[in-house]
């Protein structure tokens, strides 16, 4: 979806909010995992603000989504202090699907990528459930509402920026529980 330059730059700025949240916590694997994809998402929006090449935009978008799953693998390692086979296998499967997909040209590929992200987010938040069930429910609410808002584009061209800001709450809760 082509937006105006100002909207894309707003999305780029709000996509850096995880870096701001991570600033309040010590530098560790969990905080690095949360901000790993931020520069790639910001680059995607900046590229879209100044260029209209959909093929190149898709390459940058796929790179951003690849690093989301790399961040999930780092986060699982941070929580367990070891590599867990099932989580690693899931994320490698997601990485391989993203690499061969064409999400900006085929809507089904975008659905697959979003589904992998939802499962990855739930797997990441399950650790919070073991520490605080209330914070887990709050995080899950924000994630589900953000995904619904992103899919339905309730706020039109501002939906992506609002989603970026909404995801600050679950990330903050995740890092809070990790650093207890």
């Amino acid at each position: 979806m082509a937006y105006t330059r100002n909207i894309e730059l707003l999305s780029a700025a709000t996509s850096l909010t995880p870096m701001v949240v991570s600033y309040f916590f010590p530098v560790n694997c969990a905080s690095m995992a949360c901000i790993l994809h931020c520069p790639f998402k910001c680059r995607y929006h900046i590229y879209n603000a100044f260029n209209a090449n959909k093929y190149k935009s898709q390459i940058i978008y796929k790179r951003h989504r690849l690093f989301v799953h790399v961040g999930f693998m780092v986060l699982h390692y941070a929580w367990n202090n070891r590599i867990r086979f099932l989580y690693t296998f899931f994320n490698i499967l997601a990485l391989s699907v993203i690499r061969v997909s064409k999400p900006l040209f085929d809507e089904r590929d975008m659905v697959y990528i979003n589904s992998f992200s939802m499962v990855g987010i739930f797997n990441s938040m399950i650790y919070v459930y073991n520490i605080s069930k209330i914070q887990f429910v709050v995080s899950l609410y924000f994630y589900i509402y953000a995904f619904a808002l992103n899919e339905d584009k309730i706020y039109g061209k501002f939906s992506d920026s609002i989603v970026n800001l909404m995801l600050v709450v679950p990330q903050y809760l995740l890092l809070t529980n990790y650093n207890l």
Side-chain angles (χ1 to χ4, degrees):
M1 189 177 287
Y3 291 134
T4 63
R5 180 173 294 164
N6 293 338
I7 298 301
E8 286 292 341
L9 291 175
L10 177 65
S11 294
T14 58
S15 68
L16 295 175
T17 54
M19 288 183 169
V20 174
V21 171
S22 295
Y23 176 76
F24 297 107
F25 296 95
V27 176
N28 52 36
C29 285
S31 62
M32 287 294 112
C34 290
I35 65 171
L36 195 57
H37 73 284
C38 294
F40 297 100
K41 187 171 185 182
C42 182
R43 181 172 182 240
Y44 167 71
H45 288 297
I46 289 172
Y47 181 82
N48 286 342
F50 296 103
N51 299 298
N53 184 345
K54 197 168 182 180
Y55 177 74
K56 177 79 173 176
S57 179
Q58 177 174 271
I59 292 171
I60 297 169
Y61 178 79
K62 286 170 48 174
R63 195 166 293 146
H64 146 62
R65 295 307 285 254
L66 287 169
F67 275 93
V68 168
H69 288 282
V70 170
F72 287 153
M73 285 193 281
V74 171
L75 189 61
H76 290 301
Y77 178 79
W79 278 100
N80 297 305
N81 289 327
R82 65 185 174 102
I83 296 173
R84 299 190 65 188
F85 174 75
L86 190 59
Y87 293 131
T88 304
F89 179 72
F90 165 76
N91 285 305
I92 289 173
L93 178 66
L95 291 172
S96 62
V97 167
I98 292 170
R99 285 190 46 87
V100 298
S101 68
K102 295 181 178 164
L104 300 184
F105 294 104
D106 187 359
E107 187 66 31
R108 290 178 300 162
D109 287 348
M110 186 66 84
V111 170
Y112 294 144
I113 291 172
N114 287 338
S115 299
F116 276 122
S117 292
M118 284 189 272
V119 171
I121 286 170
F122 184 76
N123 285 337
S124 299
M125 292 307 298
I126 204 71
Y127 299 110
V128 175
Y129 178 80
N130 295 326
I131 297 171
S132 172
K133 291 171 182 48
I134 301 252
Q135 290 182 359
F136 172 76
V137 169
V138 169
S139 296
L140 206 56
Y141 170 77
F142 273 90
Y143 274 128
I144 291 171
Y145 188 69
F147 269 110
L149 191 139
N150 192 35
E151 288 296 316
D152 295 339
K153 301 289 184 211
I154 295 171
Y155 297 107
K157 56 189 174 183
F158 295 107
S159 292
D160 190 49
S161 298
I162 293 171
V163 166
N164 290 336
L165 295 174
M166 285 182 65
L167 295 179
V168 167
V169 174
Q171 181 185 349
Y172 177 80
L173 294 175
L174 178 75
L175 291 174
T176 300
N177 285 302
Y178 179 78
N179 291 305
L180 286 179

